[in-house]
Amino acid sequence: MNAQEVIARIEKIEALPTIPPILRKILSVIEDPKVSLQKITEFVSSDPTLTARILKMVNSPVYGFPGRISSVSHAMVILGLNAVKGLLLGVSVFEIMQKNMIGLWEHSLSTAIFARIIAIRKELQSPEEISIGGLLHDIGKVILMMSFKDEYLKLIESVQEKDDFLYEIEKQYFGLTHAEVGGIIAKKWHFPLKLIEPMMYHHKPKLSEKFQVETAIVHLSNILAMARGVGYSGEIFVPSVHPFVWEILNLKEEEILDIFREAEEPITTSGEIFLSDE
Amino acid sequence: MIKISIDKAKPGMKIARDIVNEAGMVVITAGKELTDALIEKLSIMNIDFVYVEGQKEMPPKEEVFEEIEKRFKKATDSYTLLIKKALKTHIEELYK
């Protein structure tokens, strides 16, 4: 398949009949570049499932804010507009992940948790935003699944037999990877570059321009999540860490061990976070 | 002590840590046994997780290490192998 055709199809994602109505509504809200925090707050508050999910997320060990956040408006202020847009999308693709790729949600959450822990260690200003980058890094897989379901399922199945990385197989078949698909869609949805770069370049961190540290963190977090083996990303092998990322983050073995220790409880308890709403 | 989500809670489990509501008040004290009525009450109160006594169910250690070897099959560079080494130390600690 040629990359142009793939891009043309994924750019029309909102028109797909398989897209859940709630996601369609969320997309129309976040796609508006002028949307305000207040408008998003009203939108979330009008939907009880969304409200419950946002509150569960911000009160979960994924974030670890002190004290309990019990109102949507409070959550929105703490997180800020960009993180809120991303989080909304993250919680609304949960069902699609659960239905189509069991384990992708757990993998995404684990990546988000590792990203936040590393961002805090590296004293970055907004660990929440980087964690959202982790949560959404594989959203391109969801997009490919919705746009090319049969083909994509076959590719995922072929990973074992081809003994290769899924992203390499995607590149051969579609002419681009889920990371690029995620980046393209994030641009279309007017996400900030701080989220686009980590999503787009989490397999090619050296291509990031403005947000190299953020991209490096999501790259490493994805690898740590796969290494720990919580959830399933479609890959069966842990990819190698890019030497460039190592240079930027400069973590020692003892620090990596500490990161695994710190992540253990949140990653093993967060997967079921939304199961009680159903 | 293990942390479980409320939908996994079953009557007879013993609460290991005080359960606190949104206002910060203790609603169930540690040591109490869960009943159907209590579990129902907790879900109404929007409590998602509780700490109960017991040990986390973990797969046999050998199996976990075997899986790690398989997952890292393609890793040959020193950085990725460093992660593997740290991970193995971490898993060892979990089984102590």
Side-chain angles (χ1 to χ4, degrees):
Chain A
M1 211 173 281
N2 115 7
Q4 291 312 316
E5 279 172 59
V6 177
I7 294 172
R9 173 106 69 114
I10 58 172
E11 289 206 321
K12 280 186 280 187
I13 186 129
E14 283 95 336
L16 284 177
T18 45
I19 195 165
I22 179 75
L23 182 53
R24 202 183 302 260
K25 248 165 73 186
I26 288 172
L27 291 180
S28 69
V29 173
I30 59 179
E31 205 173 357
D32 173 6
K34 285 182 301 231
V35 70
S36 64
L37 199 55
Q38 196 194 343
K39 191 163 171 223
I40 294 191
T41 307
E42 281 165 18
F43 170 75
V44 173
S45 306
S46 70
D47 184 309
T49 310
L50 262 187
T51 301
R53 286 194 176 170
I54 294 282
L55 291 180
K56 278 186 182 169
M57 257 324 249
V58 294
N59 285 303
S60 76
V62 179
Y63 289 102
F65 288 121
R68 198 173 167 93
I69 298 164
S70 52
S71 76
V72 172
S73 53
H74 187 190
M76 302 284 150
V77 171
I78 290 184
L79 290 170
L81 185 62
N82 290 331
V84 163
K85 277 181 161 183
L87 185 57
L88 260 173
L89 188 64
V91 302
S92 59
V93 294
F94 162 72
E95 269 99 3
I96 304 172
M97 288 192 181
Q98 291 294 48
K99 269 186 207 138
N100 297 292
M101 221 174 142
I102 295 171
L104 186 58
W105 173 251
E106 288 78 2
H107 168 69
S108 303
L109 271 182
S110 304
T111 307
I113 292 164
F114 278 116
R116 182 175 160 272
I117 294 173
I118 302 171
I120 292 174
R121 276 185 172 260
K122 291 284 145 193
E123 298 178 336
L124 263 73
Q125 279 211 326
S126 49
E128 283 71 39
E129 275 183 43
I130 298 166
S131 138
I132 298 288
L135 185 69
L136 297 178
H137 77 287
D138 268 350
I139 201 155
K141 290 181 181 162
V142 177
I143 310 280
L144 286 172
M145 187 68 86
M146 289 199 291
S147 314
F148 302 94
K149 190 165 183 184
D150 297 343
E151 293 99 319
Y152 197 51
L153 284 175
K154 272 193 200 131
L155 292 195
I156 293 172
E157 268 172 37
S158 73
V159 169
Q160 193 92 41
E161 155 212 341
K162 287 191 174 152
D163 202 40
D164 201 353
F165 293 107
L166 176 61
Y167 59 85
E168 299 286 0
I169 300 174
E170 288 169 353
K171 182 96 191 166
Q172 285 158 21
Y173 187 84
F174 292 118
L176 73 182
T177 69
H178 68 273
E180 289 151 311
V181 168
I184 292 168
I185 221 80
K187 265 188 201 161
K188 174 179 148 64
W189 290 337
H190 302 288
F191 275 35
L193 207 54
K194 205 176 183 175
L195 277 177
I196 296 175
E197 286 200 354
M199 287 166 77
M200 186 110 156
Y201 303 125
H202 71 269
H203 286 296
K204 289 187 172 176
K206 223 180 165 177
L207 293 180
S208 62
E209 288 168 14
K210 292 219 168 69
F211 295 98
Q212 292 186 331
V213 180
E214 287 78 359
T215 306
I217 290 177
V218 173
H219 170 87
L220 180 64
S221 302
N222 179 38
I223 289 171
L224 294 180
M226 282 191 237
R228 181 59 188 87
V230 173
Y232 169 65
S233 67
E235 297 290 3
I236 54 174
F237 302 117
V238 177
S240 292
V241 181
H242 198 293
F244 176 67
V245 165
W246 214 262
E247 239 169 72
I248 290 187
L249 298 178
N250 186 27
L251 293 164
K252 295 181 183 59
E253 186 184 331
E254 186 57 35
E255 292 176 275
I256 300 276
L257 176 58
D258 272 343
I259 294 169
F260 275 126
R261 285 182 185 134
E262 200 180 321
E264 186 63 26
E265 192 186 300
I267 62 175
T268 48
T269 55
S270 302
E272 294 167 343
I273 178 167
F274 295 146
L275 294 189
S276 51
D277 328 326
E278 265 67 47
Chain B
M1 176 170 73
I2 50 168
K3 187 179 178 185
I4 56 165
S5 66
I6 198 72
D7 52 314
K8 291 268 165 71
K10 291 200 175 61
M13 288 178 166
K14 217 171 188 184
I15 292 297
R17 206 187 266 185
D18 288 353
I19 300 177
V20 178
N21 69 6
E22 287 178 15
M25 293 184 17
V26 177
V27 284
I28 300 177
T29 50
K32 210 165 170 116
E33 251 181 44
L34 283 174
T35 59
D36 279 322
L38 273 181
I39 295 168
E40 173 75 26
K41 190 174 150 197
L42 291 173
S43 4
I44 295 170
M45 290 170 62
N46 259 331
I47 288 183
D48 304 325
F49 291 99
V50 289
Y51 288 88
V52 294
E53 284 178 6
Q55 293 256 308
K56 204 183 274 183
E57 274 179 47
M58 298 210 287
K61 191 165 119 184
E62 297 68 33
E63 224 171 81
V64 177
F65 277 93
E66 231 171 81
E67 290 297 323
I68 291 175
E69 288 305 325
K70 277 193 215 158
R71 288 202 289 277
F72 277 88
K73 194 180 109 178
K74 294 204 183 261
T76 49
D77 65 289
S78 58
Y79 303 128
T80 316
L81 291 176
L82 194 82
I83 291 179
K84 185 179 171 189
K85 197 161 157 244
L87 174 67
K88 283 171 136 183
T89 313
H90 170 62
I91 301 286
E92 282 288 354
E93 286 175 359
L94 292 180
Y95 281 87
K96 254 177 212 160

